[in-house]
Amino acid sequence: MLHLPSPVLAVLRAIIGFFTRGKFVPDNPITEFNLDLTQPIIYVIPSHSLADVLTLQLACKELGLPDPFEPVMFAGEAHKRVAFLVDGKGETLEQTIEQFTSALAIHRSDESHNAQLVPVKLFWDRYPGRESVDDLMGGKPERPAGVLKKTWQVIFKGRENLVRFSPPVSLKDMAQRQGSDKRIGHKLARVARIHFSRMQMIATGPKLPNRRHMFEQLLASATIREAINEEAKAKNIDKAAARQAALKYLEEIAADFSYRNLRMADAVLSWVWNKIYSGIEVNHAEKVRKLAQEGHEIVYAPCHRSHMDYLLLSYVLYHQGMVPPHIAAGVNLNFWPAGPFFRRSGAFFIRRSFKGNKLYSTVFREYLGQLFSRGYSVEYFTEGGRSRTGRLLPPKTGMLAMTVQAMLKGLERPVTIVPVYFGYEHVMEVGTYYKELKGKSKDKESLFSLFGMLRKLRNFGHGYVNFGEPINVNQSLNKLAPEWREHPEEGLKPNWLVPAVNDISNQLMVNINSAAAVNGLCLSATILLAAENRALPRKQLVKQISLYTSLIENVPYSDHVTLPEVDAETLLDQAISLDKFEIRSDYLGEIIGLDEKQQVLLNFYRNNIIHLLIIPAFIATALLQHRSLCRSQLVALLEQLYPLLKGELFLRYQVSDMSDLADRYLEEFAALKLISDQGDCFNIDSQRRGRLLLLAQVAQESLHRYAIVAALLAKRPHLERAELEQQALAGAQRLAQLHNIDAPEYYDKRITTNLLSLIREQGLSDSQSAEGLFKQLSPLLADGVYQSISELLDLEA
């Protein structure tokens, strides 16, 4: 078929190009796989198909890869560029075995050759199919599509076409590692078939279950039957009624995944992300694709900033060639029409609390285990709810605990949690978040609230999806609880479960923050909120953006943090295009500022990246407030305050890193000519002092809250925890009013509660330790704040 006349191929290629839409994964195979274009490249595709090769040709032309119709030259001979694994009947092609065997022999005899085998899977239809009697009895092997079916796929499924490239296999390495007979060619073909089978599973997922059959299986499990018996005894009802209650719970919880729904969602969301938003930037997805290829059970654990999060991750994964996950969604979203839509898009619904309902908790836990055992990836939000401040919330550990309990039942595949950082240049709900923090009741999700959000659609800028460093749960448990594989007695929770889950949850939050996406809006918001009167001349704002990008780039927080590869002027222009700033002009140029409303709302975006700047901000504060500060004093101060910062902002460093980190930031300050070294002490450049002042202001709100809590613990040690929380929160809010600070941290009870817990964990809650902490903090406070705190809490009385 590949030897048809050129005019015929040209016509067929034009038809293919008309009906298909070019989608490739990855979007740059040459860079991601480090392909050597000076060495031969041979494509390996599953079955003999002209349509597939023509589609591959179009993809290769766009990606800058060699044409699959052109022969590849090595050892002075022309070889076919494409190898097919099977024929139309699904049988392995002998000529492919001979092609592999011959190529391996050439590489074995001459090591100067290094041909690269690149597996390529073309998807025309990603419908996984539904379970049938055949599947329950073991299934039947699927045969390659015939001519008629392939024609139908091209015409009616062409817009869904996906060309999925895999990492290359070096024939040179294969030749050096393997023997020299024909069996090696057979082995290579067999490995390739397994690889393609796994790629199929990654892209489509398991066959969709017969929902009623799955419910019957779950209700027949020993664990749920026992829970039904206990429910019947506890409520004095018959077992049939208790079983019916369990069935209703399953119907309330379980997803009802629909491929048709997925296709419709893809069409709608493609419009949303490319029309309402300016596009979606995805980073580090290659790690997730590799985990899927290696057969891991993947749990996606994103931060939670917007209702758009549910949709965004599924959309991104679908376009990365992976099946979207089943998503744990709050039962508050189960309203018409959103509930049925989400359920058919893979959402399963979870109540806010399981407390006092053992039957519900058992049914939910067994359903989650069923998803894992069937091979579905799962997504849940460890924070529990959306962050109202833009900071990460302390993790809720229930879903992770249930994941580990599912592993204890004999899940064979390794379980890996993938942290996901969402960044937005506009979040629709931000306006309501601050009102809720200040006491307004949370609006119940409904069709009307959905229309209210849609009515506000406009240019929302970019969205960012950064995949963080994965956490292999099996390996983590091997370190935290070596005995974890030992099965506990039925119904008993292992002693190691809670501390191990807490450690993994905290590491997960650290890894989410370590994958932050920096953009012009976050940087501009951080700077303007620190400025006097929330306004700066454009030139000064650009210089400050340049300072922050230099700090983030030259003292990198982690390998997963992303920073746009554009200059400070461009970053500012991108932020201005979002229409969130007031711009006034005079004879000297532009002044960029925030109106009263945006002063409140932009705190959310600043808090998305505050953890990247908090350490240099504390260093700047210390340098400005302690005129004769030496290096050892600076390090001692950082080491004392860092545990609080780490616990609040989920920072990745250890206390032992503070000395080296201080040196690196001080060197960068010196390189930027903000300071000069004077032996062990430092002088601040007077002309650049304002830039340090703006940076230092980033740390002030944390210092305010720490000082209020420390002062209360020092002067009022008799207060009960609830009263202490209430007074600390009231004190922070009063301070905010006195000093014209309108930031959400001062109104979020959870942040105050978490801070008190951290201070207790660090052994700073007794009167003497708290007083010592307050004395350390006092010189770092901005002018007038110390006096306000003293008078506010009657500390001088």
Side-chain angles (χ1 to χ4, degrees):
M1 285 194 297
L2 301 187
H3 301 289
L4 293 172
S6 296
V8 175
L9 288 175
V11 171
L12 293 174
R13 188 184 306 112
I15 293 172
I16 293 281
F18 177 79
F19 283 106
T20 61
R21 180 175 59 186
K23 290 189 290 187
F24 332 113
V25 175
D27 55 11
N28 191 342
I30 297 173
T31 300
E32 185 166 316
F33 299 148
N34 197 25
L35 290 174
D36 186 352
L37 298 183
T38 65
Q39 291 287 347
I41 290 177
I42 299 173
Y43 305 108
V44 183
I45 64 177
S47 58
H48 198 278
S49 167
L50 177 60
D52 284 359
V53 180
L54 286 169
T55 305
L56 175 60
Q57 183 186 38
L58 292 171
C60 290
K61 181 178 180 180
E62 187 163 339
L63 295 170
L65 288 165
D67 190 326
F69 281 90
E70 294 179 356
V72 58
M73 300 295 298
F74 59 92
E77 299 179 1
H79 297 262
K80 293 180 180 178
R81 178 80 69 178
V82 180
F84 306 99
L85 281 186
V86 298
D87 59 19
K89 298 180 181 179
E91 301 294 332
T92 302
L93 287 164
E94 278 300 315
Q95 58 262 44
T96 298
I97 303 297
E98 293 174 3
Q99 185 179 353
F100 288 163
T101 304
S102 172
L104 285 166
I106 291 171
H107 284 72
R108 197 174 292 110
S109 62
D110 186 350
E111 295 186 356
S112 66
H113 300 298
N114 188 15
Q116 303 152 96
L117 292 183
V118 178
V120 185
K121 173 80 171 173
L122 290 97
F123 295 93
W124 295 94
D125 186 349
R126 293 168 66 180
Y127 175 56
R130 283 202 174 271
E131 285 181 350
S132 63
V133 175
D134 287 331
D135 297 311
L136 299 175
M137 297 299 292
K140 293 181 179 179
E142 185 179 357
R143 294 181 60 176
V147 174
L148 290 177
K149 183 177 180 181
K150 184 65 74 173
T151 302
W152 184 88
Q153 287 177 338
V154 170
I155 295 173
F156 295 102
K157 299 286 186 177
R159 295 295 173 182
E160 297 176 54
N161 177 261
L162 175 72
V163 183
R164 175 77 159 81
F165 295 87
S166 291
V169 175
S170 167
L171 280 180
K172 179 179 180 180
D173 292 345
M174 286 286 294
Q176 291 174 346
R177 291 199 308 266
Q178 306 293 341
S180 58
D181 58 30
K182 191 174 181 179
R183 286 178 297 178
I184 305 307
H186 280 283
K187 179 180 179 181
L188 189 55
R190 187 168 61 253
V191 169
R193 290 188 71 166
I194 294 171
H195 174 83
F196 285 128
S197 176
R198 184 168 288 173
M199 287 181 70
Q200 182 72 31
M201 177 64 77
I202 291 168
T204 64
K207 288 196 172 183
L208 302 179
N210 181 309
R211 202 161 182 259
R212 184 56 54 184
H213 176 76
M214 183 177 68
F215 287 179
E216 292 298 328
Q217 277 187 322
L218 285 166
L219 292 172
S221 69
T223 305
I224 290 185
R225 278 193 286 113
E226 182 180 346
I228 288 172
N229 291 337
E230 291 181 9
E231 179 82 354
K233 290 178 183 179
K235 293 189 175 180
N236 195 25
I237 57 177
D238 59 40
K239 291 181 182 179
R243 189 180 188 276
Q244 187 63 28
L247 178 60
K248 286 185 177 180
Y249 288 150
L250 278 172
E251 290 172 341
E252 174 190 319
I253 293 166
D256 188 16
F257 194 86
S258 162
Y259 180 68
R260 181 180 298 175
N261 204 84
L262 181 63
R263 287 182 58 196
M264 182 179 70
D266 177 50
V268 172
L269 292 177
S270 294
W271 179 82
V272 168
W273 304 128
N274 293 293
K275 297 297 182 183
I276 298 171
Y277 288 84
S278 301
I280 302 298
E281 294 187 17
V282 181
N283 295 288
H284 314 307
E286 67 280 358
K287 292 191 175 185
V288 187
R289 294 197 299 269
K290 183 179 179 183
L291 287 171
Q293 190 64 49
E294 292 173 351
H296 287 241
E297 176 64 44
I298 298 178
V299 175
Y300 298 97
C303 60
H304 200 6
R305 298 205 161 115
S306 169
H307 282 315
M308 301 299 280
D309 300 343
Y310 302 101
L311 307 173
L312 180 54
L313 184 58
S314 292
Y315 174 84
V316 165
L317 291 173
Y318 183 73
H319 283 265
Q320 290 293 322
M322 292 178 281
V323 64
H326 277 55
I327 308 164
V331 74
N332 58 304
L333 292 177
N334 192 14
F335 63 89
W336 189 89
F341 175 82
F342 287 144
R343 193 185 297 276
R344 295 182 71 79
S345 298
F348 58 99
F349 293 97
I350 180 173
R351 294 182 180 181
R352 291 295 182 189
S353 174
F354 298 179
K355 191 174 181 180
N357 194 337
K358 186 175 180 181
L359 181 60
Y360 178 88
S361 64
T362 302
V363 167
F364 185 88
R365 189 165 55 247
E366 290 300 300
Y367 173 74
L368 184 63
Q370 182 82 187
L371 293 180
F372 289 138
S373 67
R374 287 172 175 265
Y376 294 106
S377 58
V378 172
E379 172 189 350
Y380 48 72
F381 296 92
T382 312
E383 294 170 281
R386 291 167 293 159
S387 169
R388 267 61 179 169
T389 65
R391 295 171 175 237
L392 288 186
L393 301 173
K396 308 275 188 186
T397 58
M399 289 294 292
L400 181 55
M402 284 188 276
T403 300
V404 174
Q405 288 172 319
M407 294 171 60
L408 296 179
K409 293 191 174 184
L411 190 63
E412 295 181 0
R413 298 182 308 283
V415 176
T416 297
I417 303 174
V418 175
V420 186
Y421 177 97
F422 290 128
Y424 301 96
E425 291 181 327
H426 182 82
V427 172
M428 287 186 285
E429 303 100 313
V430 163
T432 65
Y433 288 164
Y434 193 59
K435 295 175 184 177
E436 290 172 15
L437 289 173
K438 298 191 87 169
K440 184 179 182 292
S441 298
K442 179 179 177 292
D443 292 333
K444 185 177 180 180
E445 282 79 5
S446 66
L447 178 61
F448 298 105
S449 64
L450 178 64
F451 281 139
M453 292 171 66
L454 293 175
R455 194 176 63 248
K456 302 174 184 177
L457 296 181
R458 57 185 181 86
N459 175 23
F460 286 172
H462 283 82
Y464 303 85
V465 182
N466 284 3
F467 294 97
E469 184 64 32
I471 299 173
N472 186 306
V473 180
N474 302 63
Q475 293 177 3
S476 297
L477 290 177
N478 288 340
K479 294 177 183 178
L480 297 169
E483 73 281 13
W484 73 274
R485 295 180 190 274
E486 300 172 9
H487 294 287
E489 293 183 30
E490 190 67 30
L492 292 180
K493 187 181 291 184
N495 293 330
W496 54 262
L497 182 64
V498 172
V501 166
N502 286 341
D503 281 351
I504 295 172
S505 296
N506 280 309
Q507 186 60 49
L508 168 61
M509 308 313 284
V510 169
N511 288 12
I512 290 174
N513 260 350
S514 295
V518 181
N519 58 66
L521 179 66
C522 293
L523 292 170
S524 300
T526 302
I527 296 163
L528 290 173
L529 288 169
E532 187 176 359
N533 297 322
R534 310 296 186 261
L536 284 174
R538 180 186 177 98
K539 289 183 180 179
Q540 189 178 350
L541 182 51
V542 168
K543 288 180 180 178
Q544 199 71 12
I545 291 174
S546 180
L547 166 62
Y548 291 1
T549 56
S550 295
L551 291 172
I552 293 169
E553 187 173 5
N554 297 333
V555 188
Y557 184 83
S558 84
D559 293 338
H560 289 77
V561 170
T562 56
L563 185 67
E565 295 180 356
V566 295
D567 60 20
E569 286 276 3
T570 304
L571 285 172
L572 179 56
D573 287 338
Q574 290 173 352
I576 289 173
S577 70
L578 297 167
D579 196 28
K580 295 181 185 294
F581 305 141
E582 283 187 334
I583 301 177
R584 301 187 300 274
S585 298
D586 59 20
Y587 181 76
L588 298 176
E590 291 182 339
I591 296 176
I592 300 173
L594 305 175
D595 63 25
E596 188 174 338
K597 179 180 178 181
Q598 293 298 342
Q599 288 180 33
V600 175
L601 302 185
L602 286 183
N603 278 278
F604 185 93
Y605 305 100
R606 177 202 61 180
N607 287 344
N608 288 180
I609 64 164
I610 193 172
H611 61 286
L612 303 180
L613 295 167
I614 197 69
I615 298 297
F618 265 92
I619 293 174
T621 301
L623 292 173
L624 288 164
Q625 300 298 106
H626 290 272
R627 295 182 180 179
S628 59
L629 185 73
C630 63
R631 180 190 174 281
S632 58
Q633 292 172 314
L634 173 61
V635 171
L637 183 62
L638 280 175
E639 289 177 345
Q640 181 173 11
L641 295 179
Y642 180 71
L644 300 180
L645 293 172
K646 178 180 175 67
E648 274 209 312
L649 299 177
F650 300 102
L651 302 179
R652 60 177 293 269
Y653 304 113
Q654 303 301 320
V655 173
S656 57
D657 297 326
M658 289 302 102
S659 178
D660 176 64
L661 198 60
D663 285 342
R664 292 168 65 194
Y665 277 119
L666 289 170
E667 287 175 8
E668 185 63 19
F669 283 2
L672 294 168
K673 298 182 179 179
L674 300 174
I675 62 172
S676 58
D677 288 336
Q678 298 292 325
D680 195 35
C681 298
F682 315 94
N683 281 342
I684 297 172
D685 184 284
S686 58
Q687 291 184 336
R688 293 178 174 84
R689 182 182 180 86
R691 301 178 71 181
L692 270 182
L693 281 168
L694 282 171
L695 176 59
Q697 194 64 31
V698 173
Q700 281 299 306
E701 289 167 14
S702 295
L703 287 169
H704 294 172
R705 292 181 297 103
Y706 297 173
I708 288 171
V709 172
L712 279 170
L713 287 168
K715 301 299 182 181
R716 301 175 187 174
H718 61 280
L719 289 177
E720 295 292 332
R721 183 183 178 93
E723 180 64 19
L724 182 63
E725 289 180 3
Q726 187 173 352
Q727 289 199 20
L729 192 62
Q733 292 172 8
R734 179 66 64 85
L735 188 69
Q737 293 176 30
L738 291 173
H739 291 270
N740 193 29
I741 305 169
D742 218 346
E745 293 91 328
Y746 292 83
Y747 297 88
D748 194 333
K749 183 179 179 181
R750 287 173 294 185
I751 289 180
T752 302
T753 301
N754 186 45
L755 176 57
L756 285 165
S757 297
L758 290 169
I759 285 178
R760 283 194 167 87
E761 287 172 12
Q762 297 302 316
L764 298 172
S765 59
D766 63 276
S767 180
Q768 186 174 355
S769 299
E771 187 170 358
L773 175 61
F774 184 65
K775 287 181 179 178
Q776 286 275 29
L777 292 167
S778 298
L780 302 177
L781 300 173
D783 294 343
V785 172
Y786 171 78
Q787 189 64 31
S788 294
I789 293 175
S790 298
E791 293 176 355
L792 187 65
L793 303 177
D794 295 326
L795 299 183
E796 297 177 353

